[in-house]
């Protein structure tokens, strides 16, 4: 539609900023996200992410939620700006599409071996910077079937900030926002922590790690069994629950503002690090625990 010149068409396209490879095999692509339409809150994301055997374990702009984009940081409400995308939750009304969407724009990534850092600006609907972010993404082989992704984010609230979610506005169990991973279609999903198993039990629980094991059915892309294990000691120490969806759509995240807003005073820094094992095949709980101590 952009080629037809219609005013409502989105003309921009994603630019690939970094290609992450291990032993000559591409395992992840970092995109600037500018191909995202404004109502889906454009932002840099990792997509596709693949296992070492090539199984695709992320989805980008799926039909059910166009604003779900690979792996990244997204928050539904920062000082009144929607950095998640889609409708804004209003208690008593549900989700309403408002003109309140922001955009996250990054400086050129700075390579550091098998990693890069990037400075990002979270820009509100009025053009003001609501947050600055310093992000580090790293990758490394662990064995022939496993590689490690490091996602380290520091949010700088230079003028102060209030972070919110539908959960902090009254939607029970809807406290998503922060680190988020959208999966492609999955069959036979097992999601578990050391203390809980299954969507209902893990959703809303606080645990230092979470595992998602499934038969991934990406299209286009290679399908197959894989396990994602996310270690999140910072989030766990802060008492932040896991957000889990299996039945409605496949995705997981760490919720910054689960049932109440987070207020950052001027000059505050909020840092969260996630260390992720991306594994070919399905891991048992015992095998997952062995990876976590390795």
């Amino acid at each position: 539609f952009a080629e037809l010149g219609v005013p409502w068409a989105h003309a921009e396209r994603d630019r690939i900023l970094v290609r992450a490879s291990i032993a000559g095999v591409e395992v992840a692509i970092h995109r600037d996200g500018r191909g995202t339409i404004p109502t889906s809150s454009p932002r840099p994301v990792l997509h596709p992410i693949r296992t070492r055997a090539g199984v695709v374990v992320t989805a980008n702009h799926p039909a059910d939620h166009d604003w779900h984009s690979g792996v990244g940081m997204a928050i539904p409400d920062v000082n009144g700006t929607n950095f998640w995308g889609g409708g804004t939750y209003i208690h008593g009304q549900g989700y309403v599409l408002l003109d309140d969407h922001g955009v996250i724009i990054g400086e050129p990534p700075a390579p550091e071996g098998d990693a890069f850092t990037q400075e990002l600006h979270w820009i509100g609907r009025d053009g003001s910077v609501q947050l600055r972010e310093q992000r580090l993404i790293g990758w490394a082989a662990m064995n022939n079937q496993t590689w490690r992704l490091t996602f380290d984010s520091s949010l700088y609230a230079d003028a102060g900030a209030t972070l919110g979610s539908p959960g902090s506005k009254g939607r029970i169990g809807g406290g998503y926002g922060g680190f988020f991973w959208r999966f492609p279609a999955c069959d036979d999903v097992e999601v578990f922590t050391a203390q809980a198993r299954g969507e209902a039990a893990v959703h809303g629980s606080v645990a230092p790690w979470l595992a998602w094991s499934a038969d991934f059915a990406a299209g286009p892309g290679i399908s197959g069994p894989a396990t994602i294990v996310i270690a999140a000691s910072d989030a766990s120490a802060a008492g932040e629950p896991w957000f889990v969806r299996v039945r409605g759509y496949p995705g997981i995240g760490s919720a910054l503002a689960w049932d109440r807003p987070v207020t950052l005073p001027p000059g505050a820094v909020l840092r969260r690090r996630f260390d992720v094992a991306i594994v070919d095949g399905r891991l048992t709980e015992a095998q997952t625990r062995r990876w976590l101590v390795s």
Side-chain angles (χ1 to χ4, degrees):
F1 291 109
E3 294 176 355
L4 297 176
V6 292
W8 44 265
H10 187 63
E12 295 196 58
R13 297 291 183 269
D14 284 356
R15 287 189 303 119
I16 293 176
L17 302 178
V18 177
R19 294 181 182 271
S21 297
I22 294 175
V25 176
E26 187 175 272
V27 293
I29 291 177
H30 179 57
R31 303 173 180 273
D32 67 359
R34 298 311 297 271
T36 298
I37 61 175
T39 53
S40 291
S41 299
R43 55 193 180 270
V45 296
L46 292 163
H47 174 78
I49 293 177
R50 300 181 177 91
T51 68
R52 298 201 65 180
V55 175
V56 176
V57 293
T58 52
N60 199 33
H61 304 304
D64 53 49
H65 293 77
D66 180 76
W67 47 93
H68 289 182
S69 297
V71 173
M73 289 288 287
I75 300 175
D77 186 341
V78 179
N79 297 334
T81 294
N82 181 343
F83 288 101
W84 181 271
T88 294
Y89 182 79
I90 299 176
H91 194 57
Q93 298 184 45
Y95 288 92
V96 180
L97 191 62
L98 303 176
D99 185 19
D100 63 350
H101 298 88
V103 59
I104 303 175
I105 297 176
E107 300 294 330
E112 297 183 0
D114 287 339
F116 66 87
T117 59
Q118 188 179 29
E119 180 89 11
L120 304 106
H121 295 87
W122 295 48
I123 300 174
R125 187 67 184 87
D126 62 357
S128 61
V129 176
Q130 301 299 312
L131 292 170
R132 287 188 302 110
E133 181 185 357
Q134 185 72 27
R135 188 178 295 181
L136 180 144
I137 305 292
W139 55 94
M142 298 184 67
N143 56 45
N144 289 336
Q145 70 174 125
T146 308
W147 67 279
R148 182 197 302 264
L149 170 70
T150 299
F151 190 105
D152 193 325
S153 170
S154 294
L155 298 173
Y156 293 81
D158 296 335
T162 299
L163 315 181
S165 72
S168 72
K169 298 176 182 179
R171 185 188 173 197
I172 303 301
Y176 54 82
F179 177 80
F180 183 69
W181 189 308
R182 175 60 199 253
F183 297 115
C186 291
D187 293 323
D188 194 18
V189 175
E190 294 181 273
V191 58
F192 57 90
T193 67
Q195 295 82 27
R197 179 174 288 271
E199 179 181 10
V202 178
H203 180 69
S205 69
V206 178
W209 61 267
L210 174 150
W212 176 287
S213 186
D215 294 327
F216 288 82
I222 297 176
S223 300
T227 303
I228 308 300
V229 186
I230 305 176
S233 58
D234 294 338
S236 176
E240 294 164 7
W242 291 104
F243 178 85
V244 179
R245 287 288 186 263
V246 177
R247 292 184 301 272
Y249 62 82
I252 53 179
S254 180
L256 286 169
W258 178 253
D259 57 5
R260 65 194 66 185
V262 173
T263 301
L264 302 176
V269 182
L270 188 151
R271 182 188 179 195
R272 296 291 182 267
R273 175 174 171 139
F274 301 89
D275 290 293
V276 186
I278 299 160
V279 189
D280 279 298
R282 304 184 69 118
L283 296 185
T284 65
E285 185 171 335
Q287 290 171 321
T288 300
R289 289 176 180 274
R290 286 198 291 272
W291 173 80
L292 289 162
V293 299
S294 64

